[in-house]
């Protein structure tokens, strides 16, 4: 099985920035349905800096690159997303310290550690209608493939994108319990969580970037992916 290289991780980060910048207004519009409407702008403010600085960032190891990105996220992403997303990148950086490539098992460990860090930082659990409702099933799928020794990384990516997309429909009817959306109570039911849509959109765009064929089905993705 081919390992994941630092170049792959850089492409994934670059694609994430492209996704976030393309969807700045759409993600804020989604947030405005039940929250304060700042999510897209908060993310885009940080990822605009990352997009600009990525070529010059230390790429001696995956951990060094992700650590620098975590600092940029924490410093420049606004609202509650800065500490949440910054913690995720920082935890992934710690697990990939000094590594120029990672195996699928190591990638699963990076993502799992990032998600545990996000849970500890934000205090949210599965079912609270936050981005964790996408990240947790994605992580479980990743761990299952790592444990099974799946060699086809494209298949792994596709199935992780499936999990994230499924989370949009699975949580659409839930009332948010964390974050700003929780303050409007029942008004959040019937609207998708923008963090979940963002994770699903990023994974769909990673599929496109890495040549993995996958057709989205939910309206939020059909509208916004490339
Ligand atoms: Mg908001």
């Amino acid at each position: 099985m081919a390992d994941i290289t630092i170049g792959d991780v850089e492409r994934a980060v670059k694609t994430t920035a492209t996704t976030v910048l393309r969807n700045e207004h759409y993600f804020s519009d989604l947030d405005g349905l039940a929250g304060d409407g700042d999510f897209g702008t908060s993310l885009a403010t940080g990822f605009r800096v990352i997009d600009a600085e990525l070529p010059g960032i230390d790429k001696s190891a995956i951990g060094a690159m992700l650590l620098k990105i975590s600092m940029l996220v924490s410093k420049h992403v606004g609202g509650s997303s800065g500490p949440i997303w910054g913690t995720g990148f920082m935890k992934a950086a710690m697990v990939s310290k000094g590594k120029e490539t990672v195996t699928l098992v190591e990638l699963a460990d990076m993502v799992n550690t990032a998600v545990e860090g996000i849970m500890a930082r934000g205090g949210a659990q599965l079912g609270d209608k936050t981005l964790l409702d996408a990240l947790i099933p994605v992580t479980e799928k990743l761990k299952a493939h790592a444990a099974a020794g799946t060699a086809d990384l494209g298949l792994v990516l596709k199935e992780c994108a499936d999990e994230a997309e499924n989370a949009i429909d699975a949580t659409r009817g839930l009332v948010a319990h964390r974050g700003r959306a929780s303050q409007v109570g029942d008004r959040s039911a019937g609207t998708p969580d923008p963090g979940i849509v963002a994770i699903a959109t990023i994974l769909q765009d990673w599929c496109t970037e890495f040549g993995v064929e996958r057709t989205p089905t939910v309206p939020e993705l059909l509208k916004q992916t490339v």
Side-chain angles (χ1 to χ4, degrees):
M1 181 179 66
D3 287 350
I4 295 111
T5 66
I6 194 162
D8 294 332
V9 178
E10 183 185 5
R11 272 172 77 187
V13 171
K14 174 79 182 169
T15 303
T16 303
T18 304
T19 303
V20 166
L21 296 181
R22 189 182 72 246
N23 287 285
E24 175 172 358
H25 298 295
Y26 179 60
F27 290 164
S28 280
D29 287 349
L30 282 180
D31 189 30
L33 296 174
D36 52 5
D38 68 343
F39 177 67
T41 306
S42 295
L43 270 190
T45 302
F47 275 92
R48 197 168 281 118
V49 177
I50 290 165
D51 194 49
E53 295 205 6
L54 191 57
I57 285 178
D58 176 3
K59 297 188 193 74
S60 57
I62 292 171
M65 179 171 68
L66 292 179
L67 185 63
K68 177 63 181 172
I69 288 165
S70 80
M71 291 176 195
L72 294 174
V73 168
S74 298
K75 188 171 175 195
H76 297 286
V77 171
S80 55
S81 300
I84 297 288
W85 289 60
T87 296
F89 278 104
M90 187 190 65
K91 294 290 182 181
M94 286 163 56
V95 180
S96 55
K97 191 176 176 194
K99 294 182 192 295
E100 291 175 48
T101 65
V102 288
T103 63
L104 185 59
V105 170
E106 289 170 328
L107 179 70
D109 189 27
M110 286 165 63
V111 174
N112 189 58
T113 305
V115 170
E116 284 178 352
I118 288 170
M119 290 178 82
R121 185 72 178 78
Q125 304 290 330
L126 188 69
D128 285 343
K129 199 171 182 175
T130 73
L131 81 172
L132 285 166
D133 287 354
L135 290 177
I136 291 171
V138 164
T139 306
E140 292 306 314
K141 180 62 72 178
L142 196 52
K143 285 158 70 177
H145 277 299
T150 304
D152 182 352
L153 294 181
L155 175 73
V156 176
L157 177 55
K158 181 194 169 294
E159 292 194 355
C160 286
D162 290 345
E163 294 291 335
E165 177 168 332
N166 290 343
I168 296 175
D169 274 338
T171 58
R172 197 186 297 277
L174 296 180
V175 175
H177 293 296
R178 305 293 304 190
R180 286 290 173 81
S182 65
Q183 293 168 14
V184 302
D186 291 347
R187 187 153 69 86
S188 64
T191 65
D193 176 73
I196 296 171
V197 174
I199 298 298
T201 308
I202 289 164
L203 282 168
Q204 177 63 37
D205 285 345
W206 286 2
C207 285
T208 305
E209 170 67 20
F210 289 100
V212 175
E213 206 164 309
R214 184 179 182 278
T215 307
T217 56
V218 304
E220 287 82 3
L221 292 198
L222 286 169
K223 200 173 143 181
Q224 294 307 131
T225 44
V226 289

